[in-house]
Amino acid sequence: MAAAGAEIMARTLDLDRAGYGTVDAALEHIEVERDWTAPGVASLAGRHRFDDYGEVRAGLERGREVVIPDVTADPRTAGNPGPLLGIGVRALINVPVMEHGRIVAVFFLHDRNVRDWRPDKLAFVRDVAERTRAAIERTRAEASRRESEEQFRVFAQAMPNHVWAADAGGELYWFNEQVYAFSGTSPGDLDRMGWTAIVHPDDVEAAGRAWAASLASGAHYETEFRIRRADGVHRWFLVRAEPIRGPDGAVVRWIGTNTDMEDSKQATAQLERLNEGLEQQVEERTRDRDRMWRLSTDVMLVARFDATIVAVNPAWTALFGWGETELVGRSFMDLVHPDDAGSTAAAAGDLSAGSVIPRFENRYRHKDGSYRWLSWTAVPDEDFIHAVGRDVTSEKEAAQALARTEEALRQSQKMEAVGQLTGGLAHDFNNLLTGISGSLELLQTRMAQGRLTDLDRYINAAQGASKRAAALTHRLLAFSRRQTLDPKPTDVNALVHGMEELVRRTVGPSVHIEVVGAAGLWPALVDPPQLENALLNLCINARDAMPDGGRITIETANKWLDDRAARDRDLPPGQYLSLCVTDTGTGMTPDVIAKAFDPFFTTKPLGQGTGLGLSMIYGFARQSGGQVRIYSEVGQGTTMCIYLPRHYGDAEGAEGLPDLASAPRAEQGETVLIVDDEPSIRMLVTEVLEDLGYTAIEAADASSGLKVLQSDVRIDLLVTDVGLPGGMNGRQMADAGRVNRPGLKVLFITGYAENAAVGNGHLEPGMAVLTKPFVMEALASRIKELIAAP
């Protein structure tokens, strides 16, 4: 039709080309299926973009045609007429085709010459376009109607229900195949007998009255009646029909359905029978509930969401002395202990929001003014709170008594631990001091007698006892985390292998030890004795977690921690190495992991642990720039990992101390200032230095030492104690001395080594620490290293 209309317009107006094309919703493209062209003119069939040809669509979307007599002169196309001229268009008309207010297609007229589009020609074009559109719409509507009727027929035949149609007067003229199949009839049978032939005789009159009423009023038809099946059995059907109306609103036909409802009818009858039995069961359950309500020793409560009590059981009177009439209508918040009012109100709010409270405890006031603890379980419904409360006052009092007893026991245990510690220290130090003093006394006696043989035996005994005392002090300070770290580039694999035999002996034969050292492990800048102590503590904890024996794995690895991994471990991103101890023991709960590093926290039985081991390890790791993390599952074992920053350099090998006789000698004029409040230490250090050729200057306190440092005397090295009398410690004196002597070398010697006194473990270049007691060979070597350093 569109092609015919286009050809009529083109031939009548003597044009070169005319056609019809559909457009998209955005009005960007036109799709031309075919067009009419004069001889020698090319077809434009295909898809075209409006914008490629200038403003040839302006106004189309508002239903206005586009009329251009000359594309080279019209401002809408004159800017780029080439594309239009290229397809043989000098003059054009575009006529929009509108449907429901929206443009759906365009009639286009083209000519190779300039044209004068007079009003009569435009009117002719509009008329042909409108007639063509109307004809197309009629054809579409007829095709749609036929398609709709065919779809209805197929749909009705496919439905499992009965479908039928009747004319405006109520005469049934069509049934789907399901009606014939169910009733065992044929179209001819029903036409001859009528539809009432398959309806149960008892239901025909009622069904006919309902049908007549709907025909008279035009209202929806709905009723129930029984229809005979082919085998003679009648089944109940729900029969419905809707009127189809014409343009004037009058009923032109009816469409109806029959839905088999026999099964639901039987189910309803069965349900009615069950309901009769259920009522009896409900009555029995209600009697049981009432007995429970009366006899329960737990208090039961029904209340509104505003806390008003609606019902209480007799247990309230037995437990609190209140009668039912004294409680019903009263707010239960009046009976709640003032300290529990906030939490109780919050719980009531949760219940009003629909939450279930599986367990909640508060105190209620007895009629005599005392309070008793109740443990509640409560659930809400639409209007009320239903709650059951159990008296737990005795359990609470027993728990409080147990907590007081446990606290007293813990305090007693701590005091006993302190007593054991001090007693043990006194015993060990008395033994060591006896060895030292006895050796010195015998040494003095032999020398006074002129008996100079065997003196080495007494000297060695005194030195051995003093070294054991130093080791004991070092362990004590490490235990209390007051020991300044002496970090060195350390090969952790070598340290672990050096500790392996000690660990095996410590954990015992029931525990298998496995060491897995990573190849190419990076060095760590760490205090080796402290790391050894931490490793031993972790292995002892692992052994204690495996009372029946098991396996301990000691493993090292290199770790690259990105932003996320570092954040999880509370560390800066970078390169680290890990030392991990894994056991196959009982594991730890999240609550235990959260408190594992707290001082004095322990899960071991009373008398078997102080709770300081992991606290020491945590402090050491953090002071070394690293971290400790626990990975554990109950029943699956535990992994404890120490993370240490990578040291960029080589690890130091084990060094033996040189003999004092072979200690390096001083250069000419090298002078050392010794500041210590202990005269014997100053004397010993001075003698060693003078024997090695140094000039030694002594000072007993910081103020005297500072005067020397502020003088013009040559000082190559300051050797000072950290703790000094007079209000200034050794670090403060050294910092003040460096004001006039910026390059002053400093060696701190201390028996206590407070971190704060030496800068929280961070020493400036040219500073070092030597912990008392020390051997003279170590002192001489450290002095020479500091003086010789640039």
Side-chain angles (χ1 to χ4, degrees):
M1 289 184 182
E7 182 177 355
I8 290 171
M9 287 187 283
R11 290 184 181 277
T12 302
L13 299 177
D14 191 22
L15 300 176
D16 293 326
R17 182 189 296 118
Y20 176 92
T22 57
V23 298
D24 55 21
L27 199 59
E28 292 182 352
H29 298 87
I30 180 170
E31 190 75 36
V32 179
E33 183 178 343
R34 58 178 174 157
D35 54 3
W36 180 90
T37 58
V41 177
S43 172
L44 293 183
R47 195 165 188 257
H48 299 270
R49 187 170 176 267
F50 281 108
D51 286 346
D52 292 342
Y53 302 102
E55 293 295 327
V56 296
R57 61 176 176 180
L60 290 177
E61 69 275 7
R62 292 186 294 277
R64 300 201 306 268
E65 62 266 15
V66 177
V67 181
I68 299 178
D70 184 355
V71 298
T72 63
D74 192 282
R76 290 171 288 184
T77 56
N80 184 24
L84 288 170
L85 295 175
I87 60 174
V89 179
R90 185 71 180 267
L92 65 85
I93 297 178
N94 288 336
V95 181
V97 177
M98 310 295 290
E99 289 184 6
H100 308 296
R102 185 179 72 83
I103 181 172
V104 296
V106 171
F107 276 105
F108 59 88
L109 307 176
H110 295 165
D111 200 81
R112 288 173 288 184
N113 300 310
V114 176
R115 298 297 297 260
D116 178 16
W117 304 111
R118 296 195 310 273
D120 58 330
K121 294 181 179 180
L122 293 177
F124 169 72
V125 169
R126 294 191 193 102
D127 182 58
V128 173
E130 178 59 27
R131 288 173 181 271
T132 304
R133 186 197 66 79
I136 292 173
E137 284 304 303
R138 284 196 301 274
T139 303
R140 285 179 176 172
E142 181 63 24
S144 177
R145 182 186 64 79
R146 289 195 301 269
E147 181 181 2
S148 176
E149 290 179 350
E150 178 62 16
Q151 286 179 347
F152 167 76
R153 188 190 67 79
V154 173
F155 176 73
Q157 293 291 6
M159 283 185 64
N161 292 357
H162 299 174
V163 181
W164 48 271
D167 59 22
E171 186 71 24
L172 277 67
Y173 64 85
W174 183 86
F175 300 90
N176 70 348
E177 293 297 331
Q178 278 69 24
V179 175
Y180 300 123
F182 179 83
S183 62
T185 60
S186 64
D189 295 334
L190 284 181
D191 290 343
R192 185 179 66 259
M193 297 184 298
W195 67 273
T196 58
I198 60 175
V199 179
H200 195 286
D202 295 345
D203 301 333
V204 170
E205 183 179 354
R209 283 198 307 270
W211 182 228
S214 292
L215 292 174
S217 64
H220 167 78
Y221 172 65
E222 182 173 326
T223 188
E224 296 176 5
F225 54 76
R226 288 163 288 182
I227 297 177
R228 177 176 53 80
R229 199 166 58 188
D231 60 2
V233 175
H234 287 82
R235 292 179 66 86
W236 280 99
F237 279 78
L238 174 63
V239 182
R240 292 182 175 137
E242 290 286 346
I244 297 177
R245 303 179 186 277
D248 59 354
V251 176
V252 296
R253 68 176 61 86
W254 295 80
I255 300 297
T257 61
N258 304 337
T259 304
D260 190 331
M261 57 180 300
E262 179 69 26
D263 293 340
S264 63
K265 281 276 190 181
Q266 293 181 6
T268 300
Q270 178 66 18
L271 183 61
E272 290 175 354
R273 291 191 295 272
L274 290 174
N275 284 340
E276 293 176 0
L278 183 60
E279 289 177 2
Q280 182 178 356
Q281 294 178 21
V282 169
E283 184 178 352
E284 294 174 357
R285 297 295 184 271
T286 302
R287 288 195 297 269
D288 293 341
R289 184 204 62 188
D290 291 344
R291 282 194 295 270
M292 184 180 298
W293 177 269
R294 292 191 306 272
L295 300 177
S296 174
T297 57
D298 293 336
V299 294
M300 297 183 179
L301 171 74
V302 179
R304 297 190 180 93
F305 292 118
D306 63 359
T308 302
I309 298 174
V310 175
V312 292
N313 69 333
W316 281 86
T317 304
L319 188 59
F320 290 101
W322 301 102
E324 180 180 3
T325 56
E326 296 175 290
L327 294 175
V328 173
R330 183 177 185 177
S331 172
F332 61 71
M333 294 298 296
D334 295 343
L335 304 176
V336 175
H337 192 286
D339 293 346
D340 302 334
S343 58
T344 303
D350 292 341
L351 287 166
S352 66
S355 299
V356 176
I357 306 297
R359 182 178 173 83
F360 176 75
E361 293 184 351
N362 60 7
R363 287 162 288 185
Y364 271 68
R365 178 164 49 86
H366 193 280
K367 195 170 184 178
D368 63 8
S370 62
Y371 285 89
R372 300 190 68 82
W373 280 96
L374 292 177
S375 177
W376 292 97
T377 299
V379 295
D381 61 16
E382 293 182 359
D383 302 308
F384 299 105
I385 298 171
H386 301 266
V388 177
R390 173 159 295 178
D391 181 13
V392 294
T393 305
S394 299
E395 291 90 331
K396 282 282 186 180
E397 292 174 349
Q400 292 171 355
L402 179 60
R404 289 192 297 268
T405 302
E406 289 177 345
E407 180 61 25
L409 186 58
R410 279 194 294 271
Q411 291 298 329
S412 174
Q413 180 193 0
K414 289 180 183 179
M415 294 306 297
E416 182 180 356
V418 171
Q420 291 175 347
L421 178 63
T422 55
L425 288 175
H427 175 269
D428 289 345
F429 268 107
N430 282 335
N431 287 340
L432 295 170
L433 289 174
T434 299
I436 295 171
S437 62
S439 297
L440 293 176
E441 183 179 352
L442 290 175
L443 183 61
Q444 183 181 31
T445 301
R446 294 292 187 269
M447 292 178 68
Q449 295 172 349
R451 297 165 58 188
L452 303 181
T453 58
D454 295 333
L455 294 184
D456 287 347
R457 182 172 51 162
Y458 305 121
I459 294 172
N460 292 336
Q463 287 181 335
S466 66
K467 289 178 180 178
R468 290 195 298 276
L472 178 61
T473 305
H474 185 84
R475 288 196 298 273
L476 181 61
L477 290 174
F479 178 78
S480 62
R481 289 169 58 188
R482 304 300 295 268
Q483 177 70 29
T484 296
L485 299 180
D486 185 13
K488 295 181 177 63
T490 302
D491 182 345
V492 177
N493 274 345
L495 182 143
V496 171
H497 286 298
M499 290 282 294
E500 186 174 352
E501 185 57 33
L502 174 60
V503 170
R504 292 185 191 279
R505 291 199 307 269
T506 302
V507 301
S510 64
V511 177
H512 174 69
I513 301 294
E514 182 178 357
V515 177
V516 182
L521 186 69
W522 297 323
L525 188 64
V526 69
D527 188 326
Q530 293 283 9
L531 184 57
E532 290 174 348
N533 185 57
L535 175 60
L536 187 59
N537 266 296
L538 292 180
C539 292
I540 291 173
N541 284 348
R543 176 202 64 189
D544 293 342
M546 301 183 294
D548 299 324
R551 184 177 69 257
I552 295 176
T553 302
I554 304 172
E555 186 173 5
T556 60
N558 294 328
K559 301 287 186 183
W560 286 79
L561 300 185
D562 57 17
D563 290 338
R564 183 189 61 79
R567 186 167 53 252
D568 291 343
R569 293 165 176 80
D570 192 20
L571 287 170
Q575 296 181 352
Y576 295 81
L577 60 145
S578 63
L579 172 59
C580 299
V581 175
T582 301
D583 63 62
T584 57
T586 55
M588 303 164 67
T589 65
D591 290 342
V592 171
I593 293 174
K595 296 184 287 187
F597 296 120
D598 294 348
F600 293 106
F601 175 78
T602 179
T603 59
K604 296 177 182 178
L606 297 179
Q608 295 187 22
T610 62
L612 290 173
L614 289 180
S615 177
M616 289 167 47
I617 295 170
Y618 177 81
F620 157 70
R622 297 302 282 167
Q623 193 175 349
S624 301
Q627 184 60 278
V628 184
R629 279 292 180 263
I630 302 174
Y631 309 95
S632 184
E633 293 184 18
V634 174
Q636 301 298 317
T638 299
T639 296
M640 304 283 295
C641 283
I642 301 175
Y643 296 91
L644 298 170
R646 175 186 179 179
H647 172 67
Y648 292 89
D650 296 329
E652 293 183 359
E655 296 182 358
L657 290 173
D659 187 41
L660 187 57
S662 60
R665 312 294 296 179
E667 300 293 335
Q668 180 65 36
E670 289 181 336
T671 304
V672 178
L673 172 62
I674 304 103
V675 184
D676 199 303
D677 59 331
E678 177 58 48
S680 62
I681 294 178
R682 292 201 308 272
M683 180 269 292
L684 289 171
V685 174
T686 298
E687 286 195 7
V688 170
L689 291 172
E690 289 178 346
D691 287 346
L692 296 175
Y694 293 96
T695 300
I697 302 175
E698 297 185 37
D701 53 41
S703 60
S704 301
L706 185 57
K707 288 179 182 178
V708 176
L709 292 173
Q710 292 174 344
S711 69
D712 296 331
V713 175
R714 174 180 175 177
I715 302 294
D716 294 283
L717 175 68
L718 168 64
V719 179
T720 177
D721 194 358
V722 175
L724 293 173
M728 182 184 295
N729 63 38
R731 177 59 187 265
Q732 293 167 337
M733 178 188 66
D735 291 340
R738 279 194 165 191
V739 173
N740 296 327
R741 301 174 185 264
L744 178 65
K745 310 288 182 61
V746 183
L747 175 61
F748 295 107
I749 57 174
T750 175
Y752 190 63
E754 292 184 72
N755 289 332
V758 293
N760 290 317
H762 299 289
L763 299 178
E764 295 179 7
M767 291 184 175
V769 176
L770 189 62
T771 304
K772 299 175 184 177
F774 47 78
V775 295
M776 295 301 109
E777 295 91 334
L779 174 65
S781 297
R782 189 62 64 90
I783 288 172
K784 186 62 178 178
E785 289 172 3
L786 283 170
I787 293 177

